[in-house]
């Protein structure tokens, strides 16, 4: 027995020693950084062996390729969409500031320019926010399957302002309700179709006909053409996006900004300065309360007003596959679905995930990269291969690849 005891002690000592080494290595393993609500840590580019001179060149490039459209966004909107029928804005708008942006590397701010704190319209980046709110509903089980037909989820919609009632309604059989998905065609539309902008939804919502948004040059066919089967043809269309926003509001049975704040923006430490707005006539009565159905972009005004820091937090959330500091805000499954190319448009996932499929969108970036893009151009570039989130505001769209090329060129080992 006396001979065996020292052997047992040696074994125990060896186990404890090995455990100590493993624990020490684990303790030294660098953790993934997430900014707190009140502080987003900056790191000098040299901390990560980034090329400071090349990053500064990227910043100069972003500033030199600022959008040539006026800072007065009412005028800018008229210049871009004024020839479209029913194009007048019916949601809030505001003047913009100069070009601004951020470069996030490994979660830290390594570069910024302009005034990233300025709260400004982000246009169709709002669509990525809307699709995230749909994702929250899906993860929560409020939407059982994305293949389900949308109309099966919806109650009658009581409009609080009759300007929103469809113009084609029978004036003899007036009703305070609208049924946005009750035509023969619209009853075929699933959540997936709306998220991928392949629904070809038909109708008038908040005074904006679907055919009036980026109309074809065949004027005679605006109201008479045969509808495409849902899922077969991609068409970027804000009226249809707003139909999704209304449907999602009815599924949550509460205002979407409230859903967003409680379930996403607060958990990721976003500021309290953002505002998600709708149209002046987009009010419904739900459960005895007046609720605004917000818009999914700024095509007719409205949408998300937000600063670049909060945009970067949203980008970092999608980069980290919906996880924020150990809490799964959006499921990995949802992020994967959002990044999956559609059959009708391989360069588009769920709105507004613009994919770099075959490196067609951004030749300088990896094929796995994507961007949340809005008019202006406002963009959140997300690159998991290089652990980068890049926010660029008010840059010429054609210059985005050049900016990405310069930022990626500053990474260690790049020539």
């Amino acid at each position: 027995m006396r001979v065996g005891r020292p052997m047992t002690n040696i074994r125990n000592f060896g186990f404890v020693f090995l455990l100590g080494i493993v624990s020490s290595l684990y303790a030294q393993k660098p953790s993934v950084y997430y900014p707190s609500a009140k502080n987003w840590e900056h790191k000098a580019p040299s901390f990560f062996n980034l090329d400071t001179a090349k990053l500064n060149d990227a910043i100069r490039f972003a500033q030199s390729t600022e959008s040539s459209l006026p800072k007065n966004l009412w005028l800018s909107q008229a210049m871009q969409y004024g020839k479209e029928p029913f194009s007048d804005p019916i949601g809030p708008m505001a003047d913009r500031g100069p070009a601004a942006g951020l470069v996030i590397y490994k979660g830290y701010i390594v570069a910024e320019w302009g005034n990233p704190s300025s709260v400004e319209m982000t246009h169709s980046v709002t669509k990525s926010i809307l699709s995230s709110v749909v994702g929250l509903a899906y993860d929560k089980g409020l939407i059982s399957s994305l293949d389900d037909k949308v109309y099966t989820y919806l109650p009658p919609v009581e409009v609080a302002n009759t300007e929103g009632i469809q113009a084609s309604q029978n004036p003899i059989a007036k009703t305070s309700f609208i049924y946005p998905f009750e035509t023969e065609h619209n009853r075929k539309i699933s959540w997936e179709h709306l998220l991928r902008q392949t629904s070809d939804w038909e109708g008038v919502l908040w005074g904006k006909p679907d055919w009036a948004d980026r109309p074809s040059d065949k004027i005679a066919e605006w109201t008479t053409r045969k509808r495409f089967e849902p899922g077969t043809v991609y068409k970027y269309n804000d009226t249809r996006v707003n139909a999704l926003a209304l449907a999602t509001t009815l599924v949550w049975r509460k205002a979407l900004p409230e859903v967003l704040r409680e379930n996403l923006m607060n958990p990721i430490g976003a500021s309290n300065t953002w505002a998600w707005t709708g149209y002046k006539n987009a009010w419904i009565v739900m459960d005895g309360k007046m609720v605004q159905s917000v818009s999914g972009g700024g095509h007719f005004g409205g949408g998300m007003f937000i600063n670049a820091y909060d945009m970067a937090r949203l980008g970092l959330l999608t980069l980290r596959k919906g996880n924020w500091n150990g809490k799964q805000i959006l499921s990995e499954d949802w992020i994967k679905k959002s990044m999956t190319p559609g059959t009708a448009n391989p360069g588009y996932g769920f709105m507004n995930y613009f994919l770099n499929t075959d490196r067609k969108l951004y030749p300088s970036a990896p094929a796995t990269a994507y961007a949340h893009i809005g008019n202006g151009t406002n963009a959140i570039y997300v690159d998991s291969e290089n652990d980068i989130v890049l926010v660029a505001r008010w840059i010429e769209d054609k210059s985005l690849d050049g900016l990405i090329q310069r930022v990626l060129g500053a990474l260690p080992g790049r020539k």
Side-chain angles (χ1 to χ4, degrees):
M1 295 295 292
R2 290 181 181 176
V3 175
R5 276 190 165 179
M7 291 298 294
T8 301
N9 290 338
I10 290 172
R11 290 194 190 100
N12 290 341
F13 176 79
F15 175 78
V16 171
F17 180 75
L18 180 61
L19 182 63
I21 292 176
V22 172
S23 299
S24 176
L25 289 173
Y26 181 81
Q28 294 174 14
K29 183 181 178 180
S31 59
V32 177
Y33 172 74
Y34 290 87
S36 68
K38 296 184 178 180
N39 179 55
W40 197 327
E41 191 171 342
H42 291 67
K43 292 287 187 184
S46 58
F47 181 86
F48 293 112
N49 294 319
L50 300 173
D51 191 314
T52 303
K54 289 182 177 179
L55 268 183
N56 287 336
D57 177 62
I59 291 173
R60 286 191 292 269
F61 179 81
Q63 293 174 319
S64 68
T65 56
E66 180 178 338
S67 170
S68 59
L69 289 168
K71 290 183 171 64
N72 180 321
L73 294 189
W74 286 271
L75 180 56
S76 177
Q77 197 268 0
M79 292 171 67
Q80 293 178 88
Y81 306 117
K83 293 183 179 180
E84 295 181 1
F86 304 99
S87 62
D88 289 348
I90 52 174
M93 301 182 73
D95 287 354
R96 69 168 177 89
L102 298 161
V103 178
I104 312 299
Y105 184 60
K106 297 186 183 299
Y108 296 90
I109 298 174
V110 295
E112 58 183 55
W113 61 96
N115 182 7
S117 297
S118 181
V119 176
E120 298 173 2
M121 290 184 75
T122 197
H123 292 276
S124 286
V125 174
T126 309
K127 292 176 174 59
S128 292
I129 295 167
L130 173 58
S131 68
S132 295
V133 174
V134 178
L136 291 169
Y138 176 77
D139 290 342
K140 191 178 176 67
L142 298 177
I143 298 172
S144 300
S145 170
L146 297 182
D147 293 325
D148 286 348
K149 301 301 184 283
V150 176
Y151 84 92
T152 63
Y153 283 77
L154 308 184
V157 184
E158 182 182 355
V159 178
N161 185 323
T162 55
E163 288 181 31
I165 295 178
Q166 295 185 26
S168 61
Q169 267 188 296
N170 183 345
I172 300 176
K174 282 191 174 180
T175 173
S176 294
F177 295 114
I178 59 172
Y179 301 88
F181 290 86
E182 287 293 348
T183 69
E184 181 181 354
H185 172 82
N186 288 352
R187 286 170 69 93
K188 301 177 184 178
I189 295 171
S190 71
W191 296 100
E192 180 97 6
H193 297 145
L194 289 171
L195 287 163
R196 295 197 181 279
Q197 301 227 52
T198 60
S199 70
D200 204 20
W201 181 92
E202 62 181 0
V204 181
L205 187 60
W206 316 133
K208 303 296 183 181
D210 70 276
W211 50 264
D213 186 340
R214 301 167 179 86
S216 75
D217 55 0
K218 299 177 180 179
I219 297 176
E221 298 180 3
W222 281 356
T223 61
T224 60
R225 71 168 177 84
K226 184 179 178 180
R227 290 285 156 174
F228 299 113
E229 194 67 18
T232 61
V233 176
Y234 167 87
K235 173 67 185 297
Y236 199 87
N237 185 289
D238 273 46
T239 297
R240 295 176 187 137
V241 171
N242 293 334
L244 174 59
L246 173 59
T248 309
T249 301
L250 295 167
V251 165
W252 277 101
R253 300 192 79 92
K254 61 168 63 175
L256 294 189
E258 184 179 351
V259 174
L260 181 71
R261 183 183 67 252
E262 294 175 355
N263 295 277
L264 197 153
M265 297 299 268
N266 284 352
I268 68 173
S271 74
N272 198 39
T273 64
W274 59 270
W276 192 0
T277 65
Y279 305 146
K280 62 184 179 182
N281 60 335
W283 288 87
I284 63 174
V285 180
M286 189 167 56
D287 298 331
K289 297 178 181 178
M290 292 271 288
V291 174
Q292 188 181 41
S293 183
V294 290
S295 62
H299 189 74
F300 305 114
M304 194 75 164
F305 292 72
I306 191 171
N307 68 43
Y309 294 113
D310 288 343
M311 290 173 66
R313 286 177 185 266
L314 290 165
L316 188 59
L317 176 68
T318 62
L319 174 75
R320 301 276 169 83
K321 294 180 169 44
N323 189 282
W324 194 269
N325 202 21
K327 182 178 180 180
Q328 202 68 39
I329 308 299
L330 286 165
S331 67
E332 286 193 43
D333 177 54
W334 182 262
I335 299 298
K336 182 179 179 181
K337 290 178 187 297
S338 301
M339 295 170 57
T340 300
T343 54
N345 182 359
Y348 199 71
F350 286 170
M351 62 183 194
N352 226 11
Y353 284 70
F354 283 90
L355 310 178
N356 201 30
T357 307
D358 298 327
R359 300 179 68 183
K360 289 183 178 179
L361 182 63
Y362 302 126
S364 301
T368 54
Y370 57 89
H372 309 285
I373 303 175
N375 191 27
T377 290
N378 286 266
I380 308 172
Y381 167 79
V382 182
D383 183 343
S384 60
E385 288 191 28
N386 294 299
D387 207 352
I388 281 178
V389 173
L390 166 65
V391 175
R393 311 201 72 178
W394 314 118
I395 185 174
E396 292 287 353
D397 186 66
K398 63 183 180 182
S399 299
L400 271 171
D401 186 64
L403 176 60
I404 292 167
Q405 180 185 48
R406 286 162 173 77
V407 170
L408 296 184
L411 295 175
R414 302 295 178 96
K415 294 182 179 180

